[in-house]
Amino acid sequence: MSTVIENAALKNSALEYIEETIEAVPELVEVRTSAAEGFAENNFPSIKDEEWKYTNVKQLVSSNYAFDVKEAAISSDDIKGYLIEGVETLVFVNGKYNAGLSNFNSSEKVYINTFAEALNSDKKELLLENFGKHADNNLPFVGLNTASTTEGVFIHAKRNAIKEESVMILNVVSQSNLVIQPRLLVIAEEGTQISYVERNAILNNAEGTLVNAVSEVTIGERANVNHIKIQDEDQSTQLVTVTEAKQADNSVYDNVTITTGGKLVRNNLNISLGEHCEGHMTGLYLLDEKSFVDNHTMVDHKMPNSYSNELYKGILSGKSKAIFNGKIFVREDAQKTNAFQSNKNILLSPDAVVDTKPQLEIWADDVSCSHGCTVGALDEEPMFYLRARGIPEDQARALLTYAFAGDVIEKIKNEAIRNVVQRMVANAMGYPLD
Amino acid sequence: MLKINDLKASIEDKEILKGINLDIKEGEVHAIMGPNGSGKSTLASVLAGREDYEVDGGDVDFDGEDLLEMSPEERAQKGLFLAFQYPVEIPGVSNTNFLRTAVNEVRKARGEEPYNAANFMKEMKEKMKIVSIDKSLMSRSLNEGFSGGEKKRNEIFHMAMLDPKLAILDETDSGLDIDALRIVANGVNTLRDGNRSFVVVTHYQRLLDYIVPDFVHVLYKGKIVKSGTKELALELEEKGYDWIIQEVEGNN
């Protein structure tokens, strides 16, 4: 399947790092070792792999990165701009958990903590039963993350527990050319409701960061899980994420991914659905300069009577490029499936590029599926209407692109988070809100 | 106020306006009538600055300035307003936010202080009365899902808010029932204050029963072929356009 990539500096340095740190957390040695073996055998993908046809990671994997962390003095002032009112936060600085900067409430009903703490508690068994069991360690980036894991975040919501407050995992990087590998394990039992956010913060002009993140999410019956990724990355950051969500019957999973930049961003979002489930995948990518974003999504309808709804929207200027690849599987048993997918793009510059590819594989015969994609310039008629009312061209364009993004932003239920994203998007579009 | 001199315009190499001359003074209401395809809407569009049209000749003086040199937003800021024949639906942009942006841009261009939120709301409340427009339409997306009548009322409401020197109404009567037509016409009449000028583009005389023009011009094949007072509109209503067409074609 994979092709050999020469000069895989990342692989060599990663294997070295894994070997050096393998004993760091005794409980994780076994799963890490097994993942490391797989990682050593598998090569990073090349553009000859169908799944990576448009996203060339050659430079990403042949660059030199630091795995070793230097001491970093980060103050609460430094991260102030990334915090969201009313949202609890776990802060990692250069991959290391920072208790002083973190502020969250873990309870008997909804346990939230680091792997280190969890392994030191009665959560140990549960963590070990689930860590590395849902995401596919044979995929090179997943295998690398699992094999490297010494720390992570574990969220466990016990039956019928509801946590009103959202929790944000903030990964701060203050050192150039560093690799960080955030790991998240979520277990939402039957009838629970939780909401969390993942975000990165590059500080002190750190450049060339590689973030390789993996989230494993298990959603019990009737549970409702909200998952938001805020990717306001800088122009030198590379980000690869894998999210693996498994939904039991009657559950709802709602993923919103907002990307406003990045040298190379590749999101892999995989959802599998039980019966009577709802799976929502919503994304917005707002790119300029040479940003590159690739959203690969996969929804697997395994059982009947479920609903999946996917809406990804893109606004591209400069020489930016976006890939959208949306797979929908409807298995033979998944009768009465409703699956919808839509990818809409606005190109604001002649040099911006979008490759969009819907992929539907349907084996059941009584289903309702639709997909559609559009790529185009901003409509002229609304532009003229706004300008003819006295609104300058630039502002009219910003207003219309902002409006285009509106229905994606509206999907964020938490008001404080929605406001932050709204502001972020408006600023990125040159339409600052009052 | 507005002086159009031998204006020629085309779209995709098709000549539409073939030399229009028109002189509109402060406070005057001019009706532009004519059969379908005569160039009425083109004239309105060219004056508002729609870029699909190529201006091939002539000039337009607006309050001492060269109108054709200005961008659409500059024209609006200097006091020209076009009420669209088909107001555009813009999902995701609320009527209020849009209007506040527009009004403040226009005020800024005129050297006036932008409205703060409170002043703006006060101004809005007042102007809403002119076309008795429903409050609920303010928070909705611009024209989205509005009925035909609501859209046209919204246009006149925008006009009231932007306070232009010259308003061009492009087929504002099309698609309106008589009640909506009256409301819209009353709105226009309220804004007819002796200083503001109007160009009323319409196919039918009906609207002119309510907005009584000072002058009526008939546009045919891209030229004004006849001008008169309001009585000309009544004559057109009675006899149709054929007699004018015959008169013009006969002369050729």
Side-chain angles (χ1 to χ4, degrees), chain A residues 184-204:
Chain A
L184 176 61
L185 178 62
V186 176
I187 298 173
E189 285 184 12
E190 192 183 338
T192 53
Q193 188 178 323
I194 53 167
S195 161
Y196 53 90
V197 182
E198 293 179 82
R199 192 178 191 179
N200 304 315
I202 311 294
L203 302 180
N204 298 349

Side-chain angles (χ1 to χ4, degrees), chain A residues 155-175:
Chain A
I155 301 177
H156 174 217
K158 275 190 182 167
R159 194 165 177 271
N160 292 337
I162 292 173
K163 186 170 172 68
E164 306 275 356
E165 302 79 17
S166 289
V167 181
M168 175 162 68
I169 297 144
L170 184 66
N171 292 296
V172 177
V173 172
S174 68
Q175 179 184 331

Side-chain angles (χ1 to χ4, degrees), chain A residues 172-229:
Chain A
V172 177
V173 172
S174 68
Q175 179 184 331
S176 286
N177 302 314
L178 191 70
V179 182
I180 59 164
Q181 305 201 61
R183 184 80 181 205
L184 176 61
L185 178 62
V186 176
I187 298 173
E189 285 184 12
E190 192 183 338
T192 53
Q193 188 178 323
I194 53 167
S195 161
Y196 53 90
V197 182
E198 293 179 82
R199 192 178 191 179
N200 304 315
I202 311 294
L203 302 180
N204 298 349
N205 301 317
E207 286 184 352
T209 306
L210 172 61
V211 183
N212 179 34
V214 174
S215 308
E216 293 174 297
V217 186
T218 305
I219 303 157
E221 286 185 28
R222 295 180 294 106
N224 193 320
V225 172
N226 263 286
H227 187 168
I228 299 165
K229 287 172 185 277

Side-chain angles (χ1 to χ4, degrees), chain A residues 149-351:
Chain A
T149 296
T150 56
E151 192 48 289
V153 173
F154 184 35
I155 301 177
H156 174 217
K158 275 190 182 167
R159 194 165 177 271
N160 292 337
I162 292 173
K163 186 170 172 68
E164 306 275 356
E165 302 79 17
S166 289
V167 181
M168 175 162 68
I169 297 144
L170 184 66
N171 292 296
V172 177
V173 172
S174 68
Q175 179 184 331
S176 286
N177 302 314
L178 191 70
V179 182
I180 59 164
Q181 305 201 61
R183 184 80 181 205
L184 176 61
L185 178 62
V186 176
I187 298 173
E189 285 184 12
E190 192 183 338
T192 53
Q193 188 178 323
I194 53 167
S195 161
Y196 53 90
V197 182
E198 293 179 82
R199 192 178 191 179
N200 304 315
I202 311 294
L203 302 180
N204 298 349
N205 301 317
E207 286 184 352
T209 306
L210 172 61
V211 183
N212 179 34
V214 174
S215 308
E216 293 174 297
V217 186
T218 305
I219 303 157
E221 286 185 28
R222 295 180 294 106
N224 193 320
V225 172
N226 263 286
H227 187 168
I228 299 165
K229 287 172 185 277
I230 301 178
Q231 303 177 328
D232 45 343
E233 314 301 342
D234 68 31
Q235 295 298 333
S236 77
T237 298
Q238 304 184 93
L239 172 61
V240 180
T241 77
V242 173
T243 302
E244 197 72 43
K246 283 203 170 71
Q247 293 185 240
D249 297 350
N250 298 296
S251 64
V252 179
Y253 175 68
D254 193 331
N255 183 295
V256 180
T257 302
I258 310 283
T259 312
T260 61
K263 183 182 177 189
L264 185 155
V265 176
R266 163 72 176 236
N267 292 310
N268 304 274
L269 171 60
N270 305 320
I271 303 181
S272 79
L273 303 174
E275 200 170 351
H276 294 291
C277 285
E278 276 184 37
H280 298 271
M281 294 167 281
T282 315
L284 174 69
Y285 39 95
L286 189 73
L287 310 176
D288 62 2
E289 295 177 40
K290 287 181 170 177
S291 292
F292 179 100
V293 172
D294 174 356
N295 281 295
H296 262 64
T297 65
M298 194 271 284
V299 57
D300 192 355
H301 285 265
K302 290 184 165 155
M303 304 291 283
N305 298 308
S306 279
Y307 167 74
S308 67
N309 191 10
E310 176 163 32
L311 173 66
Y312 269 72
K313 284 188 162 184
I315 300 163
L316 290 88
S317 53
K319 292 182 172 174
S320 61
K321 185 170 180 180
I323 314 295
F324 173 79
N325 189 301
K327 275 189 201 163
I328 301 174
F329 290 115
V330 182
R331 310 273 177 190
E332 210 173 341
D333 290 338
Q335 299 294 358
K336 307 277 182 197
T337 286
N338 281 302
F340 304 103
Q341 181 188 90
S342 168
N343 175 230
K344 295 180 178 171
N345 299 280
I346 291 180
L347 302 182
L348 295 175
S349 122
D351 296 323

Side-chain angles (χ1 to χ4, degrees), chain B residues 83-154:
Chain B
F84 281 55
Q85 182 177 2
Y86 305 108
V88 184
E89 297 196 7
I90 307 184
V93 176
S94 91
N95 208 6
T96 303
N97 284 348
F98 150 76
L99 206 49
R100 197 164 133 200
T101 309
V103 167
N104 280 340
E105 283 300 328
V106 168
R107 288 180 68 86
K108 228 164 43 184
R110 290 177 190 163
E112 296 165 353
E113 275 289 302
Y115 281 128
N116 62 28
N119 285 342
F120 179 75
M121 290 315 281
K122 197 173 147 227
E123 179 75 9
M124 247 191 18
K125 255 189 185 160
E126 219 157 88
K127 297 291 164 68
M128 277 162 65
K129 288 183 204 148
I130 292 176
V131 279
S132 41
I133 195 165
D134 199 81
K135 208 171 73 191
S136 68
L137 296 182
M138 295 304 121
S139 53
R140 278 171 52 185
S141 284
L142 192 46
N143 293 321
E144 193 187 28
F146 287 23
S147 71
E150 286 170 340
K151 280 182 186 169
K152 296 297 172 78
R153 270 196 244 180
N154 199 29

